[in-house]
Amino acid sequence: MYPSVEYVSAAGEAWLASASEYPRSMRALWESRPWAPSVLPCGRAFDVISMPALFGRRVLDEMWTSGPGCGPVAAHRGRVLLFVQPGAAPRLRRLLAWEEWARDVPPLLCHGRGDAVTVPPLQRMLNSPDSPGQGAGRWIVAPEQREPRLPGAAVVLWACVRAAREPGAPVPAGAGVVTGG
């Protein structure tokens, strides 16, 4: 057995499980397999904005520098997953399509009601090259509270615009295209 590092607190685990239609079953699964990623529906406890990794890091920096920070954030398959208020994904999609700033922002995937996302494992094994959690994503900001502070669409919009217009920001390929999950 490998030692593990816990990412998600018990309160954070309860919050994540609340996204599931069957929270108790989700927690039982995590108890038996804390190193496995999970798929959770969006729209109940959270929505998720998925963005290219480099741009996502810039957005996070912007949110922490000029605002109140953010709630849970994960990295998965070269993208940053920003957990936002339920309902924020379709609103952000509409704001970016309507506003002039869309051309500056790289393509975002806005996951809301009816979509699901893969969330990283609650724990990861240390010193285990063949860990089931390897490559399954990781928490950048792990859920720690039963009711984390989740940003709304306007906060994310302004962070994206400022990150995109930052001097030296790369010009995004396919900018302005905003798709759903």
Side-chain angles (χ1 to χ4, degrees), residues 60 71-76 79-83 118-120 137-142:
L60 292 180
V73 180
H76 184 72
R79 297 188 68 87
V80 168
L81 306 177
L82 176 63
F83 288 71
T118 301
V119 298
R138 64 183 178 82
W139 290 103
I140 297 171
V141 178

Side-chain angles (χ1 to χ4, degrees), residues 2-173:
Y2 292 97
S4 67
V5 170
E6 190 167 340
Y7 278 133
V8 179
S9 70
E13 179 183 328
W15 172 72
L16 282 171
S18 74
S20 171
E21 192 170 339
Y22 305 102
R24 287 188 357 215
S25 297
M26 198 79 235
R27 293 191 80 177
L29 173 68
W30 288 331
E31 188 175 315
S32 66
R33 299 185 58 204
W35 302 286
S38 303
V39 176
L40 291 173
C42 296
R44 183 176 291 145
F46 54 78
D47 282 0
V48 172
I49 308 302
S50 173
M51 52 192 81
L54 180 59
F55 182 72
R57 292 297 184 132
R58 293 172 81 118
V59 168
L60 292 180
D61 288 346
E62 185 60 43
M63 291 177 80
W64 283 102
T65 300
S66 65
C70 63
V73 180
H76 184 72
R77 295 188 177 185
R79 297 188 68 87
V80 168
L81 306 177
L82 176 63
F83 288 71
V84 297
Q85 295 173 355
R91 179 158 166 68
L92 180 63
R93 190 181 305 126
R94 287 191 304 273
L95 287 171
L96 280 171
W98 176 70
E99 298 293 348
E100 66 189 50
W101 313 299
R103 68 179 177 272
D104 297 331
V105 176
L108 304 178
L109 300 175
C110 299
H111 302 285
R113 184 168 298 284
D115 297 325
V117 294
T118 301
V119 298
L122 300 183
Q123 299 179 10
R124 71 176 171 91
M125 292 181 194
L126 292 178
N127 305 319
S128 173
D130 56 346
S131 166
Q134 292 284 352
R138 64 183 178 82
W139 290 103
I140 297 171
V141 178
E144 296 178 348
Q145 301 170 350
R146 182 66 173 96
E147 294 184 25
R149 185 209 165 283
L150 300 174
V155 170
V156 177
L157 172 69
W158 285 108
C160 286
V161 169
R162 287 190 297 267
R165 292 187 172 172
E166 193 173 286
V171 176

